[in-house]
Amino acid sequence: MAAAKKVKVGVVVNGSKPGARDVLNQLIEFSQGHANLQLLFEKRTGALIRRPGLSELDLAKKSDLLLVAGGDGSLLDVVESVFPSPTPILGVNIGSLGFLTAVAETEVATILPYLAKNNLRLSPRLALETHFHHSNGRNHLIPCALNDVVISRANVGRLVRIRVEVGDYLVTEYVCDGLIIATPTGSTAYSLAAGGPIISPDAESIILTPICPHTLTNRALVVGAEETLRGSTRSCRTPKFAP
C-alpha cells in the first residue's frame, strides 16, 4: 500500500492575538499523530515556539497550503506579502473581524483531518492591479489589492470630482468625498459601509462605490472583471460668500 502523500502546511499566526498559542498547540499536537502532515512556520510564528522559520514568501513557495490565524488584517497582510504565489490560503479567525476567514477558532479541530488529506475546497478570488499616475510625473504600482482601492480627496474642505471610464467609454463623473473600487471579496468591507452591494465572493465583477456623493442619482456600479477602469480627479472649487 502506497504511503500517503506528505502535505506541507505553512503556518502564520498573529502572536498578538490571545488565541495564537492555542491554535499552534492544536496544530503541533495533531501533526505528531499524522506523519504525512509537515508543518512549516513563518519567522515570527516559529519564534513563539522556538522553532526555525521562513519569510512569508519562502513559506508560500515551500508549502502546499498556508494557514493564517489572525483577523482580516492578518490575512490581507499575508496575501500582499506572498503575491503572486498561487499557494492556497486558509484563514482561521482569532481576531475581532473575520469576514475573510473560513474557519473560526473553535472549528480548528474539525478541519484538521481535512487539512492532513489536503481535502479542502478552493475558492478563487479576484485581486486588483492598480497604476497611479501622479501630476508630477511619478508613477506608482500596487500589484495586488484583495479588498479594495480607494481614491479620496486630499483637501478635507473640498469635494473631489472623479471621472470614471470603463474600457474606452466614459461612464460617469462623481462629485464626492472619494471612490471605492472593490473586488467581490471586498464588497463586505469599506464598500458595504458606504452603501455598496454585497457580491458573491467568486463573482467576476468589480464594484465602484462613491463615498458621500453630492447628488441624489449616483449609486454604486458593478462592472465586469475583464474591464480596464480609468479614473482622473480634480478638486471642486470652494464657494466664496460675501460678508
Side-chain angles (χ1 to χ4, degrees):
M1 183 175 180
K5 183 181 180 296
K6 187 175 287 291
V7 179
K8 296 181 179 180
V9 176
V11 182
V12 184
V13 170
N14 186 338
S16 67
K17 303 296 183 182
R21 289 186 180 274
D22 290 339
V23 170
L24 274 174
N25 290 335
Q26 286 187 71
L27 289 170
I28 293 170
E29 183 178 349
F30 182 84
S31 69
Q32 289 171 347
H34 295 76
N36 68 305
L37 181 61
Q38 180 181 356
L39 300 181
L40 304 173
F41 301 97
E42 176 265 340
K43 287 181 179 179
R44 287 169 294 182
T45 302
L48 289 174
I49 51 176
R50 297 182 180 180
R51 294 199 182 187
L54 302 166
S55 69
E56 291 178 347
L57 186 56
D58 287 339
L59 192 67
K61 292 178 180 177
K62 296 183 178 183
S63 302
D64 298 308
L65 178 142
L66 292 179
L67 185 147
V68 180
D72 285 351
S74 302
L75 189 60
L76 291 171
D77 287 343
V78 171
V79 169
E80 182 179 352
S81 296
V82 305
F83 180 84
S85 169
T87 305
I89 299 175
L90 173 64
V92 176
N93 182 33
I94 57 173
S96 56
L97 291 176
F99 289 110
L100 302 181
T101 54
V103 178
E105 183 181 354
T106 55
E107 298 171 323
V108 172
T110 303
I111 60 98
L112 287 177
Y114 298 95
L115 196 66
K117 296 177 183 178
N118 201 13
N119 183 22
L120 299 171
R121 185 177 66 182
L122 298 182
S123 175
R125 299 299 176 93
L126 176 71
L128 302 175
E129 179 182 272
T130 309
H131 298 262
F132 287 97
H133 303 283
H134 300 274
S135 58
N136 60 8
R138 292 175 57 248
N139 297 324
H140 179 58
L141 169 67
I142 299 177
C144 175
L146 180 62
N147 258 7
D148 50 43
V149 173
V150 180
I151 302 171
S152 61
R153 56 187 180 176
N155 189 323
V156 177
R158 293 187 179 185
L159 294 171
V160 65
R161 191 180 298 273
I162 304 176
R163 177 186 174 94
V164 177
E165 297 178 6
V166 178
D168 297 325
Y169 300 97
L170 172 66
V171 173
T172 189
E173 188 172 80
Y174 290 109
V175 178
C176 54
D177 284 353
L179 180 66
I180 304 164
I181 302 99
T183 66
T185 301
S187 69
T188 55
Y190 193 9
S191 177
L192 178 64
I198 296 176
I199 303 293
S200 175
D202 57 358
E204 292 290 324
S205 57
I206 300 172
I207 309 105
L208 285 76
T209 306
I211 304 169
C212 298
H214 197 68
T215 175
L216 296 176
T217 56
N218 281 137
R219 291 293 182 264
L221 297 175
V222 179
V223 300
E226 72 282 356
E227 300 286 0
T228 298
L229 306 181
R230 297 181 181 86
S232 57
T233 65
R234 58 189 176 92
S235 296
C236 296
R237 292 186 178 274
T238 304
K240 296 181 179 179
F241 297 94

